[in-house]
Amino acid sequence: MNELNRKILIVDDDPAMQKVLHIILEKAGFDTQIVNNGQEALEILPSGNKSTPVVPDCILLDIRMPGIPGVEVLSLIHQHYPLIPVIMLTALIELETAVDTMRRGAFDYLLKPVRRIHLVETVRKAIRFRDTMLENERLTRENREYQRSLENKVAERTKELQEAYRKLKETNLTTVQVLAETIEAKDPYTRGHCNRVRILSLELACRLGLSQQERVSLEYAALLHDIGKIGISEVLLNKEGFLTEAEKTIFNQHPLIGENIVRTVDFFNPCLATIRNHHEWYNGEGFPDGLSGQSITLPARIVSIADAFDAMTSTRPYRKAIPLGDALEEMAAGKGQQFDPDLVDIFLREKVYQKIRNFREN
Ligand SMILES: [Fe+2]
């Protein structure tokens, strides 16, 4: 340890003692400063009245002094400067008090008369202790700052990622909307259909408490549910009157065609089952797989309801839009047949259909 420039504050009212301590410590290489009592000591420390405060590396403090007792001075120093070690100076008769000061935060105590080797050794130990404490404090502070800068960086990156994700999502949604409009361009009667199916599906999903992620997948699936119509001829899509059995077979391929188109993009994987199964019936009489009940995924059952309701309330090549009241009756009649009964109940009871206002008034 380098003793140079290490400041030791001596607090003692006895001039002889002051002198002894000063000589021993200066010889050992320490700088000393002497004050006569606790009041003076407190005044030269940074929060005291002096304009040039002293921050000692160690304080030697007499227990018995005029004015504020040494024990009280110790408490005040320890409270405001916990990292400055205080060594108490005591006579043999005050030994009990000296031991008590250790409990109150003194670093150690020295019995008077002070022996040179013992004094220097105790002061060195005290300063090593202070150095270690200061180093610990510095490391803790640095660690805290590092932690804070890391947290800031993480927050910054998270924000950037969220923004990038938001833009990506926006771009994806726009792309999908354009794709959906491409289908509608082939079949002018279905203009706006995909978007309305999206709105109704999302509204129903909200009532069912689906997670944000599930709702995002549902949104894409609803927009893309009829993407397979790209593979069906316009003549067939726009045919007036009912389809023949052969034409129905071709038309019924559109969920499979749609699934195959979308399968090539990983991002749309969560939408595949909905696209494939949006024409399944709850009683198993739908297509293409003849699935029934809960084996049809929830998003597919949701889109099925939204799709059917919007189809009923829109004008088609083979029939005009049916009035709202009739459509609602047909939805109710489809409970457990075409539709999941619980979902239809929510759709009707909570008037989910009001979310779109393009249907004809009764
Ligand atoms: Fe469809």
Side-chain angles (χ1 to χ4, degrees):
M1 187 185 69
N2 183 7
E3 279 84 4
L4 281 178
N5 299 323
R6 299 299 194 141
K7 285 194 191 78
I8 316 297
L9 177 65
I10 299 167
V11 191
D12 201 309
D13 58 313
D14 177 0
M17 194 62 187
Q18 289 176 355
K19 199 171 178 185
V20 169
L21 295 172
H22 166 73
I23 291 170
I24 296 173
L25 291 173
E26 293 274 324
K27 262 194 181 167
F30 296 106
D31 281 351
T32 58
Q33 179 158 2
I34 299 169
V35 292
N36 295 308
N37 53 53
Q39 185 64 41
E40 284 181 28
L42 294 171
E43 277 176 10
I44 64 165
L45 289 171
S47 64
N49 298 327
K50 289 279 186 286
S51 54
T52 51
V54 170
V55 184
D57 292 292
C58 177
I59 297 174
L60 292 173
L61 180 64
D62 193 13
I63 286 187
R64 186 183 294 266
M65 286 181 298
I68 315 170
V71 177
E72 258 181 52
V73 179
L74 167 71
S75 295
L76 288 167
I77 293 174
H78 192 62
Q79 188 185 334
H80 296 292
Y81 311 99
L83 296 184
I84 302 179
V86 179
I87 299 168
M88 306 304 290
L89 299 167
T90 177
L92 193 56
I93 51 162
E94 296 157 335
L95 194 55
E96 211 174 306
T97 315
V99 173
D100 183 52
T101 61
M102 300 280 287
R103 280 189 221 108
R104 292 166 180 263
F107 176 75
D108 206 344
Y109 62 86
L110 290 169
L111 284 177
K112 293 179 187 178
V114 176
R115 287 176 57 215
R116 190 186 67 83
I117 294 176
H118 198 190
L119 170 64
V120 172
E121 200 44 51
T122 308
V123 168
R124 281 187 179 144
K125 256 198 284 181
I127 293 178
R128 267 201 298 273
F129 171 77
R130 173 169 162 78
D131 287 350
T132 308
M133 297 294 281
L134 285 173
E135 181 63 3
N136 275 349
E137 197 191 50
R138 187 184 66 79
L139 288 174
T140 306
R141 196 173 49 242
E142 272 181 18
N143 198 16
R144 210 178 298 129
E145 276 164 18
Y146 179 65
Q147 194 75 26
R148 204 172 300 134
S149 81
L150 265 187
E151 281 169 7
N152 286 344
K153 255 187 204 155
V154 169
E156 218 172 89
R157 293 282 178 280
T158 307
K159 209 174 150 195
E160 282 170 12
L161 271 177
Q162 279 171 339
E163 181 58 16
Y165 178 67
R166 192 190 61 75
K167 277 187 187 157
L168 186 68
K169 218 177 101 183
E170 215 174 75
T171 312
N172 273 337
L173 196 64
T174 312
T175 311
V176 171
Q177 259 161 344
V178 169
L179 266 175
E181 280 164 20
T182 315
I183 315 160
E184 290 166 5
K186 285 190 80 173
D187 182 357
Y189 284 95
T190 60
R191 187 147 296 148
H193 168 70
C194 294
N195 197 37
R196 291 192 296 273
V197 172
R198 176 181 77 89
I199 293 167
L200 287 175
S201 298
L202 280 182
E203 189 63 17
L204 199 46
C206 283
R207 311 296 167 110
L208 293 166
L210 263 66
S211 71
Q212 164 76 10
Q213 205 180 343
E214 288 168 325
R215 293 207 304 267
V216 169
S217 297
L218 179 68
E219 194 169 9
Y220 288 121
L223 278 169
L224 291 169
H225 73 280
D226 267 346
I227 188 80
K229 282 187 179 171
I230 286 175
I232 309 292
S233 84
E234 284 172 48
V235 177
L236 198 145
L237 289 176
N238 295 311
K239 183 182 172 185
E240 290 182 18
F242 293 103
L243 301 181
T244 65
E245 282 308 308
E247 286 168 337
K248 262 190 201 165
T249 306
I250 295 171
F251 179 82
N252 290 359
Q253 293 295 308
H254 79 266
L256 297 174
I257 298 170
E259 186 196 23
N260 277 332
I261 292 171
V262 171
R263 191 196 297 283
T264 52
V265 185
D266 279 352
F267 181 81
F268 293 129
N269 265 349
C271 309
L272 293 181
T274 311
I275 294 169
R276 181 181 177 107
N277 295 126
H278 71 276
H279 282 295
E280 301 293 350
W281 280 31
Y282 198 76
N283 64 6
E285 289 178 13
F287 65 89
D289 298 317
L291 299 178
S292 63
Q294 307 287 313
S295 60
I296 308 165
T297 64
L298 177 62
R301 278 178 275 141
I302 292 174
V303 170
S304 160
I305 288 177
D307 184 27
F309 175 78
D310 188 67
M312 284 177 205
T313 50
S314 306
T315 295
R316 288 293 166 111
Y318 44 89
R319 59 146 178 78
K320 289 198 157 187
I322 64 174
L324 174 64
D326 295 350
L328 296 180
E329 268 175 34
E330 235 180 273
M331 292 300 293
K335 270 171 65 172
Q337 304 297 311
Q338 185 172 351
F339 310 119
D340 178 327
D342 295 335
L343 298 189
V344 171
D345 277 342
I346 296 170
F347 186 81
L348 298 175
R349 189 180 62 237
E350 303 196 12
K351 299 190 168 137
V352 171
Y353 51 86
Q354 283 188 342
K355 199 74 188 167
I356 54 167
R357 302 191 179 275
N358 69 320
F359 44 72
R360 288 153 58 109
E361 296 299 323
N362 262 325

